[in-house]
Amino acid sequence: MIKSHFAFALLFLINISVFGQEVEEREVSDWNPDIIGSSVIRGIEFSYHVNTDYAISSKSDLYGDGSGKIDKNRIFKTKLRFPILLKNKLKLAGSFEYSDEEFKFQNIGDNNYPLYRSLNDKNLKSIGGSIYLLSQLKRNMYFMFRFNGKLKGDYWQEHLEEVGKYTFLKMEITPVIGWKVNPNKSWGVGIAYSYTFGDPLIFPVLQYNQNFSKKWGVEAFLPARIKIRYHPSDLFFVSAKAKLTGGSYSIHLDDSSLEDFKTLELRRADVNFSLELEKGITDWLWVSFDAGYRANINFDVTNKNHVFGFSGNKLSSQQNIINSNANGGSFFNFSLFIVPSKTILKKFGLN
């Protein structure tokens, strides 16, 4: 069984190496949005993320005011990326992802605030994947489309049978039209329906990639993320990053006052400012360490499942059952990942 799983993963990596060949070797006329010196493609990735202790305060018409402290908030994630279809003017790829998030509150007890008591030691799971489509429209013009679907929440088999799995399904869609100006610059515009800000919102997006020199460049997908990278060698990247990490979990609060609601939504979003180091142990095995400051912008509980709004017209806090403010704090993330490389192909006689 282990050998078959290894062979399955290896097959994906071999295909990924075709889909993600080194950017430096692509021709000048290439139309895809990648530029020379772009960050490496993470084929199989394992990561461990920790938000250090931080205070939280909450307000609710149902429960009144409350406050507490989260001693630890950790997230374990594993992700696999793989190609589906490879044509000259059309590329289709996918990814599969699983993550598990846990909160540990300080001095939790039966008399604590209901939200904190319910979240403490709860495993909030996320399982699903994405489909990526990239197509050439004409010459240096491209169309990019991303669909993401995941089951997110504190679901278990009995709970799924009671409320249905679609209660936990969260979907995101992002189409982008862009232009490859030259091997060192590309840009695009589009629109997103996403939980980037915690709430499901529709907002415009801007993609912008450019090299300023052989070692310096920027990769941005605004407003979600921006990264300024320094590339001193083939096996080393240093990046200064700002990234929005938002999402929604369908949860169940064990409280008689909410017995009419079988599930609620915990919607949260943070802005992470960090410095990341990516180092290749070999050309196919890499590690990264990311550390910085996290600022919270959303940590609310609502019964308005899947209600969405438009950017600049955030969902009203009156729809929330519990409004919370979480303090900022430091965080760190460690990742181990496998990168498609010529070494892998060569070892198996496929180069």
Side-chain angles (χ1 to χ4, degrees), residues 61 199 249 290 325 333:
D61 292 338
D199 294 316
Y249 290 112
D290 191 13
N325 291 312
N333 185 90

Side-chain angles (χ1 to χ4, degrees), residues 45 151 165 181 310 315 318 336:
E45 179 181 8
L151 296 176
K165 61 184 178 181
V181 179
F310 292 89
L315 300 182
Q318 295 178 356
L336 176 70

Side-chain angles (χ1 to χ4, degrees), residues 149-184:
K150 296 177 183 177
L151 296 176
K152 295 176 66 70
D154 61 329
Y155 51 84
W156 58 94
Q157 187 61 41
E158 292 78 7
H159 199 187
L160 286 175
E161 293 175 355
E162 181 182 2
V163 301
K165 61 184 178 181
Y166 294 108
T167 302
F168 299 89
L169 180 62
K170 307 295 186 295
M171 295 184 293
E172 300 178 321
I173 299 174
T174 309
V176 173
I177 293 178
W179 294 262
K180 181 70 166 284
V181 179
N182 56 53
N184 291 295

Side-chain angles (χ1 to χ4, degrees), residues 2-218:
I2 295 176
K3 288 183 178 180
S4 64
H5 287 169
F6 176 78
F8 183 70
L10 177 63
L11 178 62
F12 275 140
L13 279 176
I14 292 171
N15 287 329
I16 290 170
S17 64
V18 178
F19 182 73
Q21 55 188 283
E22 294 183 17
V23 179
E24 287 83 353
E25 295 182 353
R26 295 172 183 164
E27 295 182 3
V28 174
S29 61
D30 207 354
W31 46 269
N32 69 73
D34 288 336
I35 59 175
I36 292 174
S38 294
S39 301
V40 293
I41 297 171
R42 302 187 178 194
I44 300 176
E45 179 181 8
F46 303 92
S47 67
Y48 184 76
H49 181 103
V50 174
N51 295 320
T52 58
D53 59 304
Y54 56 96
I56 182 173
S57 60
S58 303
K59 294 183 178 181
S60 171
D61 292 338
L62 184 62
Y63 297 118
D65 297 350
S67 62
K69 186 176 182 180
I70 298 174
D71 278 341
K72 187 178 180 181
N73 173 203
R74 65 104 182 116
I75 305 169
F76 170 78
K77 181 172 70 174
T78 179
K79 189 169 185 176
L80 170 67
R81 297 173 176 88
F82 54 90
I84 299 173
L85 179 66
L86 303 172
K87 299 290 185 180
N88 289 336
K89 295 185 178 182
L90 176 66
K91 300 182 188 297
L92 189 65
S95 69
F96 175 81
E97 179 181 322
Y98 172 81
S99 68
D100 181 291
E101 181 169 6
E102 185 179 54
F103 295 90
K104 287 187 177 294
F105 284 79
Q106 186 180 83
N107 300 324
I108 203 74
D110 292 338
N111 296 323
N112 282 90
Y113 204 67
L115 173 61
Y116 311 154
R117 189 175 65 248
S118 295
L119 283 182
N120 189 56
D121 285 332
K122 187 184 293 291
N123 291 110
L124 299 176
K125 296 182 287 292
S126 174
I127 184 170
S130 300
I131 296 292
Y132 307 89
L133 181 147
L134 184 62
S135 176
Q136 183 180 17
L137 297 181
K138 58 180 182 180
R139 289 185 292 181
N140 67 334
M141 190 177 179
Y142 62 85
F143 173 72
M144 187 171 63
F145 180 84
R146 175 180 177 266
F147 170 80
N148 177 276
K150 296 177 183 177
L151 296 176
K152 295 176 66 70
D154 61 329
Y155 51 84
W156 58 94
Q157 187 61 41
E158 292 78 7
H159 199 187
L160 286 175
E161 293 175 355
E162 181 182 2
V163 301
K165 61 184 178 181
Y166 294 108
T167 302
F168 299 89
L169 180 62
K170 307 295 186 295
M171 295 184 293
E172 300 178 321
I173 299 174
T174 309
V176 173
I177 293 178
W179 294 262
K180 181 70 166 284
V181 179
N182 56 53
N184 291 295
K185 183 179 180 180
S186 68
W187 68 281
V189 292
I191 193 168
Y193 167 70
S194 172
Y195 286 84
T196 297
F197 295 92
D199 294 316
L201 295 175
I202 297 175
F203 53 89
V205 295
L206 171 66
Q207 183 182 42
Y208 179 71
N209 301 318
Q210 182 171 359
N211 287 324
F212 306 118
S213 67
K214 290 184 178 181
K215 296 184 180 296
W216 289 91
V218 61

